Amino acid sequence: EDQVTQSPEALRLQEGESSSLNCSYTVSGLRGLFWYRQDPGKGPEFLFTLYSAGEEKEKERLKATLTKKESFLHITAPKPEDSATYLCAVQAPPRSGAGSYQLTFGKGTKLSVIP
Amino acid sequence: NAGVTQTPKFRVLKTGQSMTLLCAQDMNHEYMYWYRQDPGMGLRLIHYSVGEGTTAKGEVPDGYNVSRLKKQNFLLGLESAAPSQTSVYFCASNDGYQPQHFGDGTRLSIL
């Protein structure tokens, strides 16, 4: 069974205080690891996909990295507008004959950036 | 370009009532998904569809039915609502390995 564990559950940072969010996973044959951002009252918004260990992706103040067991979302000099819940999800190969590309999500890390 | 649109945005039902949630996507995606999101539980897959006329069960399918009569629409039905189905429901779509695109959810309360 695929499992995704995110830590910490919640994180409060001062504006400009860099930190990292962790996503540990167990999956048979990782196809891709996805990071999403979710604002209150909204649906998840796609940030990054990582496919293989050692891969890195960057977008503004965010950088995502991937190892064989975990992924990190590094936030450099965060601003209040970075406050959101960050979700991690893994994608395994299709298991049914019809094919599917299901995601298994973690419970998320709620980030608050204080001015 | 609307992406994924969910209707209604909010709904309150009484136990035993039925309703249908509608998801529409304008990206010509083959795959569509219904999730529920509960506090402390994360997103859990209810049902999904790999193409028009096909549906399959996800992690938590009991108490729900789905239909995909048109490629752009995916309907989620509750035949006899129960308080345990109080949740936020999200629809998503994609093509295979590509990132899933989500709607903004339907907030459903069952009294």
Side-chain angles (χ1 to χ4, degrees), chain A residues 31 36 38 41 43 99 101-102, chain B residues 31 37 50 97 100 104 107:
Chain A
R31 280 286 191 180
Y36 285 85
Q38 187 174 22
Y101 300 88
Q102 299 178 32
Chain B
Y31 294 78
Q37 187 175 42
V50 300
Y97 296 127
Q100 292 182 17
D104 281 339
R107 283 142 189 85

Side-chain angles (χ1 to χ4, degrees), chain B residues 25-103:
Chain B
Q25 54 98 358
D26 62 3
M27 296 170 283
N28 202 34
H29 286 160
E30 288 291 335
Y31 294 78
M32 296 187 74
Y33 312 81
W34 276 108
Y35 294 88
R36 61 178 290 172
Q37 187 175 42
D38 303 292
M41 295 294 293
L43 283 158
R44 292 181 292 168
L45 184 65
I46 304 171
H47 286 281
Y48 63 96
S49 169
V50 300
E52 182 178 318
T54 72
T55 63
K57 295 180 180 180
E59 180 186 355
V60 289
D62 294 342
Y64 304 96
N65 56 76
V66 288
S67 64
R68 182 120 181 251
L69 299 180
K70 293 183 179 181
K71 185 177 183 179
Q72 63 268 34
N73 296 336
F74 195 26
L75 279 62
L76 178 71
L78 286 73
E79 291 186 347
S80 180
S84 61
Q85 293 177 306
T86 293
S87 187
V88 182
Y89 292 86
F90 288 99
C91 176
S93 71
N94 72 341
D95 276 331
Y97 296 127
Q98 298 304 312
Q100 292 182 17
H101 296 261
F102 285 81

Side-chain angles (χ1 to χ4, degrees), chain A residues 42-58:
Chain A
K42 298 291 187 180
E45 176 186 351
F46 170 71
L47 292 173
F48 304 109
T49 308
L50 301 167
Y51 293 104
S52 57
E55 188 174 2
E56 298 183 353
K57 294 273 181 75
E58 285 190 66

